[in-house]
């Protein structure tokens, strides 16, 4: 074999081996070497953020003297004041986080950072907060703004045209004012509009059946007014549940589902496109819409004893008086309308 | 005549590999640019169904305790959860561990199999006779489910079309050696991209036998698992789709597993999968292609899913055909180049998809440095092809001799303290 041929073979071997060199180095360096991180302790739940903050703040309450100032939650350059009660004047701003053993109040147009109060929190008209947690109810004035999240033990009432950040949750009633925007809401229940409306007749709606039922497969379906269907429905097209009709099962549609006034569905409503619950319509299970979920006035989802979820792949619109016992998820933003 | 047949074989290889190339290209594009479909894992639900968690164990003393601890720590109403810990002919003390857990927690129900035939499918069938739960989840003993995993998986069943659900498997021992790194990459490509894309595109996500579950009533309706099945998961997948049920995939329902650390264990695992998979192909492909429940795209996906373990033997046959043609002096240079090009394309984008699909998965997972290992994955193809081909030959033998394949579990590499 000539020297030239040997060079060619060596060059060929080098070219073949070259792609393996970065991998060998990567093995030696151990970059991205570990397993993909899976948080085994994580449980998906609507009030996760509030509960995490409370757990972190608990140590501060136990160890820091009143009016003390501590580095906040390990964030660089951020501090928290530990106080008894705290009030921010109209138009004033507070850069530090506030951990209040009792109540917290920010007057109109005030601006605050993170707030946690073991008592009640009041955010005045036009006031803003980055995050807000309260252990004894909260009240937000009109045009108040929460940038990240809000979590409340007890009831929470928001005025009109509030901005509720990424998540707003309450262990009790979450009353969301007209014109407010949100991404995720959780309440027992969530009620759209300025006041609770009595939805009579809850007791007459049957419980969701749990056994596997025969499925009713159809193209498109219109259930007549006051009719009763005792099956699950799987439809390739749209489904319309007539006024006052009753479906004792779940509805799954590759199109849209429209539940007309005062009709009720005892199972889940799942649609690839839109789900619309008209005035007074009731769904005891979940409502999942691939696009928009729309609840008209006094429409209701879930029951007081069983939290359920309304999810809109695009958005969620809640008209005044609409009520959801559980979680509202608007993937691209939701709003409350009159 | 011989030249004609060999050339036809080569053309077939090229066509098949091109089809798989296109398929996986579409999957990757869907995962990166398409609308991502989510199952209902983020639903909040107080009204959870009754749940049975089945853990079949054969000589799993090294891992059984950790698995059962994780299951009992899960966030699920205690009055709606039962854990059927199945001691399947163990001789290493697994039974004692199961008995200890049963004594301290009422949710654990021990099942000791001694007389019946051994094997996962058989063990699951026996356990299913002892539960009336609405939903059944299955975990192998080397899996450690997180606290929220059961809720996430069970949420998929709010859709009455869903007959089974599958979560994402994540290797725990990825950093052990080169093989585990490569298997972690394969898993990432298979779940993060492949399964999610099939779910996005409404094709046929696969039930994987663990980190997943099904409606008990549906499985009863289907007659349970075939005790002779080596790939009971693929078999259930095929049966469900033939009956019009769908399978949900939840990419966020992640669970750690242990991948083989020895090349010999990996070889046997692939061989077993291939053997079982090809049996399902023989028994269910025609039924899947004829079922009116599936769209054309779904039938095509079914064929390609079940055919995936046929491709390596096909390719090896192609190599031999090319060699024969070369020796006969009948392989034109352009045909050889075309064949080599298609083999490279197949490796890049096709069934084992090292370059495109796995790289995308690693980037999505935030572990992009692993992309540097892709040439090694590429080089592993002959190993994979040979083990799959042996499994294919086993499957042919099973068919011809009406032979009953015996279940062999994958060897655990270490105690998971």
């Amino acid at each position: 074999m000539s020297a030239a041929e040997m060079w060619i073979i060596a060059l060929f071997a080098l070219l073949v081996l070259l792609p393996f060199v970065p991998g060998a180095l990567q093995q030696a360096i151990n970059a991205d070497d570990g397993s993909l991180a899976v948080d085994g302790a994580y449980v998906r739940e609507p009030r996760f953020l509030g509960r995490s903050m409370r757990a972190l703040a608990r140590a501060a309450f136990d160890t820091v003297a009143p009016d003390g100032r501590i580095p906040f939650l390990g964030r660089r350059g951020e501090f928290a004041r530990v106080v008894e009660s705290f009030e921010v004047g109209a138009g004033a701003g507070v850069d530090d986080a506030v951990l209040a053993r009792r109540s917290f109040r920010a007057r109109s147009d005030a601006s605050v950072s993170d707030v946690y109060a073991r008592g009640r929190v009041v955010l005045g008209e036009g006031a803003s907060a980055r995050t807000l947690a309260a252990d004894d109810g909260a009240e937000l004035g009109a045009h108040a703004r929460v940038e990240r999240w809000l979590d409340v033990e007890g009831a929470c009432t928001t005025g009109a045209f509030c901005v509720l950040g990424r998540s707003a949750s309450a262990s009790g009633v979450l009353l969301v004012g007209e014109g407010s925007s949100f991404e995720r809401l959780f309440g027992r229940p969530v009620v759209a509009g300025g006041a609770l409306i009595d939805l009579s007749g809850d007791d007459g709606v049957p419980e969701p059946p749990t056994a596997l039922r025969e499925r009713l497969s159809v193209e498109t379906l219109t259930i007549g007014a006051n009719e009763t269907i005792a099956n699950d429905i799987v439809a390739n097209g749209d489904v319309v549940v007539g006024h006052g009709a009753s479906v004792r099962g779940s509805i799954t549609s590759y199109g849209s589902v429209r539940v007309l006034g005062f009709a009720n569905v005892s199972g889940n409503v799942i649609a690839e496109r839109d789900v619309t619950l008209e005035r007074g319509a009731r769904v005891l299970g979940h409502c999942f819409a691939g696009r928009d979920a729309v609840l008209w006035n006094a429409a209701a989802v879930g029951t007081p004893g069983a939290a359920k979820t309304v999810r809109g792949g695009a958005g969620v619109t809640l008209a005044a008086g609409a009520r959801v016992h559980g979680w509202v998820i608007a993937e691209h933003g939701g709003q409350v309308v009159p | 005549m011989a030249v004609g047949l060999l050339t036809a074989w080569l053309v077939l290889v090229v066509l098949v590999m091109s089809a798989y190339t296109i398929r996986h290209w579409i999957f990757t594009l869907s995962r990166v640019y398409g609308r991502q479909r989510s199952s209902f894992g983020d639903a909040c639900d107080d009204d959870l169904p009754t749940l049975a968690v089945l853990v079949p164990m054969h000589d799993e003393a090294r891992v059984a305790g950790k698995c059962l601890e994780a299951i009992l720590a899960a966030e699920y109403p205690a009055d709606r959860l039962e854990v059927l810990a199945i001691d399947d002919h163990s001789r290493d003390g697994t039974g004692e561990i199961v008995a200890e857990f049963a004594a301290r927690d009422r949710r654990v129900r021990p099942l000791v199999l001694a007389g019946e035939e051994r094997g996962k499918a058989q063990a699951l069938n026996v356990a299913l006779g002892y539960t009336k739960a609405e939903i059944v989840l299955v975990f192998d003993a080397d899996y450690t489910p997180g606290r929220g995993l059961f809720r996430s998986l069970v949420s998929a069943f709010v859709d009455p079309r869903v007959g089974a659900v599958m979560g994402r498997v994540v290797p725990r021992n990825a950093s052990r050696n080169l093989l585990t790194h490569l298997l972690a990459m394969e898993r990432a490509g298979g779940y993060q991209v492949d399964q999610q894309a099939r779910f996005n595109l409404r094709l046929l996500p696969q039930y994987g036998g663990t980190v997943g579950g099904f409606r008990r009533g549906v499985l009863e309706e289907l007659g349970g698992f075939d005790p002779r099945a080596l790939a009971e998961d693929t078999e259930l997948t095929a049966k469900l789709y033939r009956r019009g049920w769908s399978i949900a995939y939840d990419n966020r329902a992640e669970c750690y597993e242990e991948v083989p650390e020895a090349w010999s264990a990996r070889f046997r695992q692939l061989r077993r999968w291939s053997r079982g998979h090809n049996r399902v192909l023989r028994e269910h492909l025609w039924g899947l292609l004829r079922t009116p429940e599936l769209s054309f795209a779904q039938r095509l996906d079914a064929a390609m899913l079940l055919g995936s373990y046929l491709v390596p033997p096909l390719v090896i046959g192609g190599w031999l055909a090319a060699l024969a043609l070369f020796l006969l002096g009948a392989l034109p240079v352009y045909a050889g180049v075309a064949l080599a090009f298609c083999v490279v394309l197949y490796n890049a984008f096709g069934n084992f998809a090292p370059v495109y699909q796995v790289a995308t998965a690693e980037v999505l997972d935030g572990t992009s440095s692993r992309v540097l290992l892709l040439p090694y994955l590429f080089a592993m193809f002959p190993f994979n092809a040979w083990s799959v081909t042996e499994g294919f030959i086993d499957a042919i033998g099973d068919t011809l001799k009406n032979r009953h394949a015996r279940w062999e579990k994958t060897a655990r590499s270490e105690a998971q303290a």
Side-chain angles (χ1 to χ4, degrees):
Chain A
M1 190 180 291
S2 69
E5 286 170 337
M6 286 181 68
W7 274 109
I8 288 171
I9 290 171
L11 187 63
F12 177 75
L14 181 69
L15 286 174
V16 168
L17 293 175
L18 202 57
F20 294 90
V21 174
L25 292 174
Q26 142 75 7
Q27 284 280 84
I29 294 166
N30 288 338
D32 288 336
D33 184 55
S35 301
L36 190 66
V38 176
D39 184 359
Y42 176 66
V43 177
R44 191 171 295 145
E45 70 117 333
R47 298 189 58 207
F48 178 81
L49 296 168
R51 288 185 176 152
S52 299
M53 184 172 182
R54 284 180 179 85
L56 291 167
R58 196 172 298 130
F61 282 128
D62 293 342
T63 57
V64 180
D67 298 321
R69 190 164 182 261
I70 54 168
F72 183 54
L73 306 179
R75 292 181 194 153
R76 187 174 295 172
E78 293 190 22
F79 292 87
R81 293 186 210 177
V82 180
V83 296
E84 285 298 314
S85 293
F86 200 84
E87 182 164 329
V88 184
V94 176
D95 291 335
D96 285 352
V98 177
L99 305 178
R101 287 193 166 88
R102 292 184 186 166
S103 61
F104 175 91
R105 182 184 191 94
R107 295 199 175 272
S108 58
D109 299 317
S111 168
V112 294
S113 175
D114 306 290
V115 173
Y116 168 47
R118 284 180 160 173
R120 185 170 179 77
V121 167
V122 177
L123 215 55
E125 276 192 26
S128 66
R130 190 163 70 174
T131 63
L132 203 158
D135 283 355
D136 188 21
E139 188 181 332
L140 277 64
H143 297 280
R145 182 183 187 89
V146 177
E147 288 175 25
R148 293 183 181 172
W149 55 264
L150 149 73
D151 181 69
V152 178
E153 279 292 337
C156 177
T157 305
T158 81
F161 301 103
C162 287
V163 176
L164 299 178
R166 294 297 173 99
S167 166
S169 52
S171 66
V173 177
L174 174 59
L175 204 57
V176 185
E178 290 174 7
S180 296
S181 61
F182 60 87
E183 289 190 17
R184 293 187 173 219
L185 302 174
F186 178 82
R188 313 287 296 242
V190 173
V191 180
L196 276 171
I197 297 172
D198 178 35
L199 301 178
S200 58
D202 267 351
D203 297 339
V205 184
E207 286 298 308
T210 51
L212 186 69
R213 293 171 302 269
E214 185 186 350
R215 293 176 301 160
L216 180 64
S217 296
V218 292
E219 288 298 317
T220 57
L221 182 71
T222 300
I223 298 167
N226 300 315
E227 271 187 42
T228 297
I229 300 286
N231 295 81
D232 284 340
I233 295 168
V234 178
N236 289 324
D238 297 340
V239 175
V240 178
V241 181
H243 191 278
S246 175
V247 176
R248 295 180 182 175
S250 292
I251 300 174
T252 307
S253 162
Y254 289 92
S256 296
V257 176
R258 195 172 192 89
V259 183
L260 301 187
F262 302 98
N264 66 71
V265 179
S266 66
N268 307 308
V269 174
I270 300 166
E272 297 293 332
R273 294 207 288 266
D274 303 330
V275 172
T276 305
L277 308 186
E278 294 197 355
R279 186 172 180 277
R282 265 173 237 156
V283 174
L284 298 193
H286 304 283
C287 279
F288 294 115
R291 295 194 316 206
D292 290 320
V294 181
L295 274 64
W296 289 22
N297 308 68
V301 173
T303 57
K308 297 293 176 182
T309 301
V310 173
R311 179 177 176 272
V316 176
T317 304
L318 304 174
R323 181 186 296 193
V324 178
H325 296 273
W327 209 355
V328 180
I329 303 171
E331 296 291 356
H332 292 96
Q335 59 176 341
V336 174
V337 297
Chain B
M1 177 68 177
V3 169
L5 283 174
L6 290 170
T7 306
W9 183 271
L10 283 186
V11 170
L12 178 67
V13 171
V14 168
L15 289 176
V16 168
M17 288 193 299
S18 301
Y20 275 97
T21 299
I22 292 167
R23 176 179 186 247
H24 287 278
W25 198 39
I26 290 170
F27 286 178
T28 307
L29 290 174
S30 162
R31 187 66 185 93
V32 177
Y33 298 111
R35 177 171 167 259
Q36 302 307 305
R37 192 174 164 217
S38 65
S39 80
F40 304 121
D42 56 359
C44 164
D45 196 347
D46 281 348
D47 191 24
L48 292 164
T50 50
L51 171 67
V53 179
L54 272 51
V55 190
M57 292 179 276
H58 171 69
D59 290 343
E60 301 284 14
R62 297 163 102 178
V63 293
K66 189 168 183 181
C67 175
L68 291 172
E69 289 281 7
I71 288 172
L72 293 174
E75 179 76 21
Y76 207 86
D79 60 336
R80 297 186 187 194
L81 172 69
E82 59 179 342
V83 182
L84 278 83
I86 312 160
D87 172 14
D88 185 10
H89 299 78
S90 297
R91 294 157 300 182
D92 68 341
T94 302
E96 286 77 6
I97 295 170
V98 168
E100 182 192 322
F101 273 88
R104 80 174 201 225
D105 195 312
R106 293 176 58 191
R107 292 173 293 174
V108 178
R109 297 177 60 192
L111 282 180
V112 181
L113 307 188
E116 301 87 349
E117 199 164 343
R118 187 169 70 78
K120 185 174 176 181
Q122 174 68 8
L124 295 176
N125 278 340
V126 173
L128 286 168
Y130 286 89
T131 180
K132 294 292 175 198
E134 295 163 66
I135 305 299
V136 173
L137 297 181
V138 180
F139 285 86
D140 288 348
D142 58 323
Y143 285 68
T144 47
R147 289 186 64 226
L149 188 67
F150 295 171
R151 276 179 177 265
S152 291
L153 289 173
V154 165
S155 295
F157 294 101
V158 302
D159 186 341
R161 295 168 296 183
V162 171
V165 64
M166 184 63 203
R168 182 182 172 184
V169 171
V170 178
R172 167 201 297 120
N173 55 339
S175 61
R176 191 72 64 187
N177 56 37
L178 178 62
L179 174 62
T180 55
H181 270 120
L182 298 180
L183 293 180
M185 294 168 74
E186 274 191 12
R187 294 283 198 279
Y191 285 94
Q192 176 67 276
V193 174
D194 201 285
Q195 287 267 52
Q196 179 63 47
R198 273 143 74 183
F199 191 54
N200 289 346
L201 297 168
R202 299 180 195 291
L203 297 175
L204 307 183
Q206 196 177 354
Y207 169 69
T210 181
V211 196
F214 42 82
R215 294 180 195 270
R216 185 184 55 81
V218 172
L219 200 77
E220 276 182 7
E221 181 189 310
L222 297 173
F225 291 105
D226 183 345
R228 297 167 303 163
L230 285 181
E232 86 293 338
D233 46 0
T234 311
E235 189 208 22
L236 178 60
T237 301
K239 282 180 169 178
L240 285 169
Y241 285 125
R242 285 182 70 176
R243 293 290 184 95
W245 291 97
S246 65
I247 296 174
Y249 174 66
D250 189 346
N251 197 44
R252 289 180 291 183
E254 297 157 320
C255 185
Y256 278 132
E257 66 152 355
E258 183 193 86
V259 290
E261 295 180 10
W263 289 92
S264 56
R266 174 60 177 166
F267 191 93
R268 284 195 298 274
Q269 185 184 51
L270 260 184
R271 182 176 172 175
R272 173 166 56 82
W273 286 355
S274 172
R275 189 176 185 177
H277 205 90
N278 280 307
R279 183 172 181 273
V280 178
L281 169 83
R282 178 171 58 82
E283 293 184 351
H284 292 284
L285 178 60
W286 184 238
L288 279 165
L289 293 178
R290 285 190 313 162
T291 180
E293 306 283 355
L294 300 180
S295 66
F296 174 76
Q298 287 172 324
R299 287 178 214 189
L300 191 61
D301 190 42
M304 298 188 85
L305 173 67
L306 291 183
S308 60
Y309 281 86
L310 271 185
V311 177
L314 193 72
V315 172
I316 287 179
W319 291 340
L320 296 175
L323 181 66
L325 283 172
F326 176 74
L327 293 175
L328 290 169
L331 182 67
V333 171
Y334 72 86
V337 170
L339 182 66
F341 183 65
C342 285
V343 170
V344 169
L345 268 183
Y346 173 77
N347 273 283
F349 304 105
N351 190 41
F352 289 95
V355 174
Y356 207 77
Q357 192 162 304
V358 174
T360 302
E362 296 298 346
V363 171
L364 289 172
D365 279 342
T367 51
S368 47
S369 293
R370 280 202 193 138
V371 170
L372 298 174
L373 290 172
L374 285 171
Y376 292 86
L377 207 55
F378 192 88
M380 200 165 75
F381 176 69
F383 171 85
N384 288 338
W386 187 249
S387 53
V388 169
T389 301
E390 284 208 8
F392 171 70
I393 293 167
D394 291 339
I396 291 175
D398 293 343
T399 305
L400 295 176
K401 298 175 183 174
N402 198 21
R403 191 168 59 190
H404 183 167
R406 185 177 169 80
W407 171 269
E408 280 183 51
K409 66 167 259 183
T410 303
R412 304 278 174 246
S413 301
E414 60 156 349
Q416 293 161 23

